[in-house]
Amino acid sequence: MDKDDQLRVRSFENNKIVIEIIDFNKWKSENTGVDLKIGSFLKIEDGNDKSIIAMIQSFKMAEDLLGDSVVQQNDQPKGHFLLDTYPIGQLESIDGEILFKKGIKNISIPPTSVSLLLEEEFKAIFEKREQPFVFSKHSANENVDIVVDGDKFFSKHLAVVGSTGSGKSCTVAKLIQEANKSDNEAIKNTHIIIFDIHGEYAHAFEKSYRYLNIEENNLEIPYWLMNAEELEDFFIESNEANSHNQLSQFKKAVISNKIKHNPNLNVTYDSPVYFNINEVIMYLSNKNRESRYSIDDIEYYALSNGEKIKCVDNEIPEAFWQGLDFYQPTGNSNHGILKKKVSKGFFYGEFNRFLSRFETKILDNRLDFMLKQTSLKTVDFFRIIKNLLGYHNGKDDASNITIIDLSSLPFEIVSIVVSIITRFTFEFCFLKTKTNDTNDTPYLLVFEEAHKYIPKLNDVKYKNTRIAVERVAKEGRKYGLSSMIVSQRPSEISPTVFSQCNNFVVMRLTNPDDQNYVKRLLPDSFDVYTDSLAMLDTKEALLIGDAVSTPCIVKINDANPLPKSEDILFLKEWKRDWIDIKFEELFTKIMTENIVLETVK
């Protein structure tokens, strides 16, 4: 577009440039078919092949500099406007190529002219990146692809946030589809693990993915993969008065049982090696009913089968891994058979509630994938980890994308599963880097509905997950491990995790707290973007970060196929004829499989 004598600079500051439209009516007649609106870009030239690019933020009518009224004799507006614009960077012509750079250095004063951007200049801002990655178009000009730097986009942590119905799941699916795109059938080196809270992402991927869930019996996460804190979080109620006793005996039993089943390994409480959970429960049950008697100052367990086993408090007799019958304590009286006083063990009756909770978990069929995996031993460890990381049985059975379906799990176990897989993925990337001085198999972890298990509040039941994910956020980039934080409530996510994200895809947000949280990510001069967060259309987003040349509103390209996240069409369904329901058939699963309907948190 030719230089326009109706546009000129009125004032120039680092973060604000005021542009004057001398006569808008005349400008409009000379630029037929061109819209000038909030969000449009202007080019301010200095006469030395350099141009400042400024975005229109607001406008107002004003009196003419010469004192003329803004109203002409025919009572029609003359169209004298002042535009407040924000400089986003500069264009330079180098060897005939137009290049965009952030910042406004080395610009000569005063500027010589103002004009609208040409199409090729518009594309120079948004379409030239070192490692091109495309998943959207500019909302103001759909002829322009928004090209981000793929390396920076995925390696520096990414957040995708937006209220329900904003197109968040479709955006996540599109990002992963583009990242995994291949020009041939050969499997590439893409490695992505998705924590799928609602069971919706399998529909979006036709090949090169593996779906791990309870229904297909291929989600293997045996209880012995838990570290010390995860075990205690899952089995011990920390707010009970005697929780310290539960903890001491549980820890003692787990360590001893690990040693028993792994005699050739140097194991610790944290070691991911097999131990028999039923034997640990039996030990605790025995301690809960234990009674003793003394002969010549030597204490023995008061076993009803007559077996004499000395009481050695720092050791666990082999017999304690099985169910034992003890004589009842006699107080100050002698026992009729032993002819000695039978006293209570130190933990007699201490573990009643503890054991009841244990039994409840063991009987919960939803936890079978974890607690009933007694057939999986330490020798299966490597196969389990390979399965979780997408390697399975070699390249022919490998998958680029591993979807962990958590939709049918009790909510209290979701955070444990996320913690375990996150922790082992971090360890893999750490060891790969330390062994080879680099990680040539980088991983992306996608934390769907992250606010549910990585909350801002220091709730003890999410402690282990928060620690694992925060470790990825703070250290993962060095070891080739990145994260995608997906949430409809960004203000409720751990600030440590969210603050480590360098790129943001911000979709429609209607909650004021979430809007304010995102606004703090941008300078005040970008209010024109952040003020519109509640009005973004479905699949529209504010794109911010190191990977994009400048913040902008984009239209996300359609995922193909789409995830299974479409809304129920209420009115359409309500207009259909009455549908009879077989309640017995529908609710039988709840009765027989011990399923508990939970309130979504």
Side-chain angles (χ1 to χ4, degrees):
M1 183 174 295
D2 295 334
K3 296 176 178 59
D4 201 312
D5 59 3
Q6 293 299 315
L7 302 175
R8 64 187 180 189
V9 176
R10 279 283 299 269
S11 67
F12 194 111
E13 302 175 29
N14 283 336
N15 294 320
K16 183 179 180 181
I17 303 173
V18 178
I19 306 294
E20 175 190 5
I21 304 181
I22 300 172
D23 188 334
F24 181 77
N25 294 329
K26 183 178 179 180
W27 180 90
K28 188 69 175 176
S29 65
E30 294 174 352
N31 297 273
T32 305
V34 177
D35 289 328
L36 196 64
K37 55 190 176 183
I38 292 177
S40 295
F41 292 91
L42 297 176
K43 179 176 64 173
I44 305 167
E45 299 183 69
D46 71 349
N48 295 316
D49 293 326
K50 294 180 181 178
S51 306
I52 297 173
I53 305 302
M55 183 188 70
I56 299 176
Q57 290 184 291
S58 62
F59 66 90
K60 61 184 177 182
M61 296 188 70
E63 292 188 358
D64 187 85
L65 290 176
L66 300 178
D68 295 338
S69 172
V70 298
V71 180
Q72 296 179 348
Q73 292 181 352
N74 59 1
D75 293 331
Q76 292 298 316
K78 183 177 180 180
H80 192 98
F81 288 93
L82 294 179
L83 308 178
D84 289 334
T85 69
Y86 176 76
I88 64 171
Q90 65 187 53
L91 290 179
E92 291 186 26
S93 180
I94 300 177
D95 298 329
E97 183 180 6
I98 302 175
L99 300 177
F100 175 78
K101 294 182 179 179
K102 293 182 180 180
I104 51 174
K105 299 177 182 178
N106 304 320
I107 297 295
S108 299
I109 298 174
T112 58
S113 63
V114 182
S115 62
L116 286 173
L117 282 182
L118 299 173
E119 184 89 352
E120 62 180 297
E121 295 168 332
F122 201 89
K123 291 183 177 181
I125 299 174
F126 296 106
E127 291 192 349
K128 294 183 179 180
R129 308 297 289 172
E130 290 185 10
Q131 287 291 339
F133 180 74
V134 180
F135 62 92
S136 63
K137 298 182 182 298
H138 199 283
S139 62
N141 188 342
E142 294 196 2
N143 294 323
V144 177
D145 288 327
I146 300 299
V147 182
V148 302
D149 187 315
D151 284 340
K152 292 181 180 179
F153 192 65
F154 288 109
S155 67
K156 293 187 175 182
H157 305 305
L158 164 68
V160 180
V161 298
S163 300
T164 181
S166 62
K168 194 166 61 274
S169 298
C170 294
T171 298
V172 172
K174 181 61 177 178
L175 289 172
I176 297 174
Q177 286 171 356
E178 289 298 318
N180 194 44
K181 184 176 288 185
S182 176
D183 295 330
N184 54 56
E185 294 299 319
I187 189 167
K188 299 301 182 183
N189 199 36
T190 313
H191 301 281
I192 299 173
I193 298 176
I194 306 172
F195 295 105
D196 189 357
I197 298 295
H198 301 300
E200 59 188 347
Y201 283 103
H203 192 263
F205 305 102
E206 295 178 326
K207 57 184 179 180
S208 294
Y209 82 93
R210 189 170 179 85
Y211 198 49
L212 303 182
N213 63 4
I214 294 177
E215 281 75 12
E216 295 182 13
N217 296 317
N218 60 2
L219 179 60
E220 296 178 327
I221 306 181
Y223 57 86
W224 48 265
L225 287 182
M226 296 188 207
N227 63 15
E229 291 185 333
E230 290 160 351
L231 284 167
E232 293 168 7
D233 180 38
F234 185 62
F235 288 112
I236 296 175
E237 193 67 44
S238 60
N239 59 5
E240 287 188 1
N242 65 346
S243 61
H244 59 286
N245 289 334
Q246 298 175 17
L247 175 58
S248 68
Q249 291 304 300
F250 178 75
K251 179 179 179 179
K252 178 180 179 181
V254 169
I255 294 174
S256 297
N257 204 261
K258 284 184 177 182
I259 293 173
K260 171 190 173 184
H261 291 284
N262 303 274
N264 299 320
L265 297 177
N266 183 22
V267 302
T268 66
Y269 194 16
D270 279 315
S271 299
V273 296
Y274 172 78
F275 69 93
N276 191 311
I277 191 67
N278 295 318
E279 292 181 350
V280 169
I281 295 173
M282 197 56 67
Y283 166 79
L284 294 169
S285 177
N286 288 331
K287 296 298 288 185
N288 192 56
R289 297 176 290 104
E290 174 194 315
S291 60
R292 304 180 176 193
Y293 69 100
S294 297
I295 300 177
D296 299 330
D297 295 329
I298 298 176
E299 277 196 314
Y300 296 90
Y301 295 110
L303 297 172
S304 60
N305 62 5
E307 185 178 1
K308 292 181 67 174
I309 301 177
K310 288 184 180 180
C311 300
V312 181
D313 290 335
N314 292 327
E315 297 178 3
I316 297 179
E318 181 65 26
F320 266 62
W321 301 124
Q322 307 299 324
L324 298 174
D325 287 326
F326 293 88
Y327 287 127
Q328 290 292 317
T330 60
N332 293 323
S333 304
N334 288 336
H335 191 272
I337 296 175
L338 296 177
K339 308 302 181 185
K340 300 287 182 180
K341 294 178 181 178
V342 177
S343 59
K344 296 178 180 179
F346 183 76
F347 300 105
Y348 188 89
E350 284 280 302
F351 301 148
N352 289 330
R353 293 184 61 187
F354 183 29
L355 290 167
S356 177
R357 283 198 309 275
F358 242 121
E359 182 181 1
T360 300
K361 291 185 187 312
I362 293 295
L363 293 177
D364 190 339
N365 293 336
R366 298 170 301 170
L367 302 180
D368 285 354
F369 78 101
M370 177 177 285
L371 298 181
K372 295 291 178 65
Q373 298 283 18
T374 53
S375 62
L376 295 176
K377 301 296 192 293
T378 303
V379 294
D380 297 302
F381 173 79
F382 301 107
R383 181 184 59 78
I384 294 169
I385 297 302
K386 286 171 63 178
N387 189 46
L388 293 175
L389 294 178
Y391 277 85
H392 320 303
N393 300 315
K395 184 176 180 179
D396 292 338
D397 192 30
S399 58
N400 299 121
I401 302 166
T402 301
I403 301 174
I404 312 293
D405 181 8
L406 305 174
S407 60
S408 59
L409 294 185
F411 189 76
E412 65 270 16
I413 199 65
V414 166
S415 60
I416 296 287
V417 173
V418 173
S419 176
I420 292 172
I421 298 176
T422 300
R423 181 165 50 82
F424 279 112
T425 307
F426 182 95
E427 294 296 336
F428 167 83
C429 292
F430 173 82
L431 293 171
K432 196 79 165 60
T433 304
K434 290 299 182 181
T435 303
N436 302 329
D437 294 328
T438 186
N439 184 2
D440 55 5
T441 55
Y443 271 78
L444 173 68
L445 294 175
V446 180
F447 297 100
E448 176 70 38
E449 299 285 13
H451 58 278
K452 290 187 175 183
Y453 46 85
I454 322 170
K456 177 170 61 176
L457 300 177
N458 290 322
D459 195 322
V460 66
K461 62 184 176 181
Y462 304 117
K463 176 183 176 183
N464 299 305
T465 314
R466 193 165 56 247
I467 290 173
V469 180
E470 286 180 354
R471 188 183 185 193
V472 171
K474 291 184 289 187
E475 305 176 43
R477 184 177 59 84
K478 297 181 293 185
Y479 306 120
L481 179 59
S482 188
S483 60
M484 182 189 296
I485 307 299
V486 185
S487 175
Q488 57 182 283
R489 295 303 313 275
S491 62
E492 295 183 0
I493 296 175
S494 161
T496 300
V497 171
F498 210 70
S499 65
Q500 295 298 321
C501 293
N502 286 70
N503 296 286
F504 300 85
V505 181
V506 185
M507 313 193 79
R508 183 175 62 250
L509 288 171
T510 55
N511 185 285
D513 292 337
D514 297 325
Q515 293 174 8
N516 292 330
Y517 196 82
V518 171
K519 285 181 180 181
R520 293 198 293 268
L521 301 172
L522 289 171
D524 293 338
S525 51
F526 275 88
D527 285 347
V528 65
Y529 284 141
T530 55
D531 287 344
S532 65
L533 290 178
M535 296 180 288
L536 292 175
D537 198 0
T538 301
K539 292 195 292 184
E540 274 192 341
L542 169 59
L543 187 58
I544 318 167
D546 293 346
V548 66
S549 54
T550 183
C552 55
I553 303 292
V554 303
K555 185 74 173 179
I556 307 297
N557 297 336
D558 290 334
N560 185 24
L562 293 169
K564 193 177 181 181
S565 58
E566 65 275 6
D567 294 332
I568 302 297
L569 303 178
F570 271 62
L571 192 58
K572 179 181 178 181
E573 295 299 330
W574 283 347
K575 287 182 177 180
R576 296 174 61 188
D577 291 340
W578 180 268
I579 298 175
D580 198 16
I581 304 297
K582 297 180 180 179
F583 282 89
E584 295 80 3
E585 182 178 319
L586 187 65
F587 282 85
T588 296
K589 190 173 183 180
I590 295 177
M591 299 171 62
T592 59
E593 297 188 13
N594 196 30
I595 293 178
V596 178
L597 298 180
E598 301 177 65
T599 301
V600 177
K601 301 184 180 180

